[in-house]
């Protein structure tokens, strides 16, 4: 009888496991060739540090603002729920539609400005200004060590812990630009 109970709850126990590898999928990126996207360690421990790798080639320049739709779901203890779009500290966060992703990044991250733009990003023509200016037909290979602040005391509190599925769909004035689905896990320190 105990054996049958264990077999009965095994799927729930497996489903509760935290992701141990960052996952990504190109869901249609006509203007970008994505070669590698990685974050380690996994799960991300916050506060803490991560190593971010991004290798891509932009086939065309961005025209106007980068309209972006974020769809975020969070799984905790096997229960998967969508994260809604909500206003926090004057900025909409969560599963939202944004008129210009660059302006949102600039509002959320005060270090996103030319004076503090990381040299490893600037060498590829990204100058931390809006609209984003990226080199086209050029392999962008970024490897950054990034400090992850405590999420529970910020507008990113919904990212404090759990397994996350995020779909990012972006388009510019010329139409669809990029689509990527990512999966990662976060746990508190």
């Amino acid at each position: 009888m105990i054996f049958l109970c264990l077999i009965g709850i095994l799927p729930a126990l497996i489903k509760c496991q935290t992701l141990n590898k960052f996952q990504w999928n190109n869901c249609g990126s006509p203007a970008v060739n994505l070669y590698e996207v990685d974050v380690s360690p996994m799960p991300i421990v916050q506060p803490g540090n991560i190593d971010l790798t991004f290798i891509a080639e932009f086939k065309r320049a961005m025209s106007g603002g980068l309209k972006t739709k974020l769809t975020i779901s969070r799984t905790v203890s096997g229960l998967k729920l969508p994260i809604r779009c909500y206003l926090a500290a004057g900025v909409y966060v969560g599963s939202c539609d944004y008129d210009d992703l660059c302006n949102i990044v600039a509002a959320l991250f005060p270090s996103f400005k030319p004076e503090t733009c990381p040299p490893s990003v600037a060498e590829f023509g990204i100058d931390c200004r809006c609209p984003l200016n990226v080199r086209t037909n050029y392999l962008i290979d970024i490897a950054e060590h990034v400090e992850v602040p405590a999420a529970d005391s910020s507008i990113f509190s919904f990212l404090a812990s759990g397994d996350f599925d995020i779909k990012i769909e972006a388009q510019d004035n010329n139409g669809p630009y990029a689509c990527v689905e990512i999966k990662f896990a976060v746990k508190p320190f």
Side-chain angles (χ1 to χ4, degrees):
M1 181 67 171
I2 293 174
F3 177 73
L4 290 176
C5 289
L6 287 174
I7 289 178
I9 65 169
L10 188 60
L13 292 173
I14 290 171
K15 202 155 177 82
C16 291
Q17 290 182 341
T18 297
L19 293 169
N20 58 14
K21 174 83 174 110
F22 182 85
Q23 299 173 21
W24 68 278
N25 177 53
N26 183 346
C27 50
S29 299
V32 182
N33 287 330
L34 294 168
Y35 300 112
E36 184 178 351
V37 181
D38 194 31
V39 174
S40 64
M42 192 59 49
I44 297 168
V45 177
Q46 59 82 25
N49 294 292
I50 61 168
D51 290 313
L52 171 68
T53 302
F54 178 78
I55 302 173
E57 180 181 9
F58 291 82
K59 298 184 222 174
R60 65 176 170 82
M62 292 178 200
S63 174
L66 199 58
K67 289 186 174 207
T68 305
K69 178 180 181 175
L70 289 183
T71 307
I72 306 171
S73 62
R74 174 182 177 205
T75 303
V76 176
S77 299
L79 182 61
K80 185 174 184 174
L81 295 171
I83 301 293
R84 64 181 175 79
C85 182
Y86 63 95
L87 187 62
V91 179
Y92 283 97
V93 294
S95 296
C96 303
D97 292 339
Y98 298 102
D99 288 334
D100 187 356
L101 183 63
C102 185
N103 287 328
I104 296 301
V105 169
L108 293 175
F109 301 101
S111 63
F112 186 80
K113 53 189 169 191
E115 305 83 54
T116 56
C117 200
S120 61
V121 174
E123 75 177 88
F124 298 108
I126 302 169
D127 58 3
C128 295
R129 294 178 203 256
C130 296
L132 284 174
N133 178 29
V134 295
R135 287 186 182 174
T136 57
N137 301 311
Y138 186 83
L139 187 66
I140 293 177
D141 186 347
I142 298 172
E144 278 291 311
H145 189 71
V146 180
E147 185 178 330
V148 178
D152 57 355
S153 59
S154 73
I155 62 174
F156 298 108
S157 60
F158 67 91
L159 292 173
S161 67
D163 289 359
F164 295 89
D165 293 10
I166 300 177
K167 184 174 186 179
I168 305 163
E169 300 170 273
Q171 67 177 33
D172 66 359
N173 290 342
N174 293 325
Y177 197 84
C179 179
V180 66
E181 297 166 324
I182 60 174
K183 295 181 180 196
F184 61 94
V186 178
K187 71 176 187 178
F189 181 69

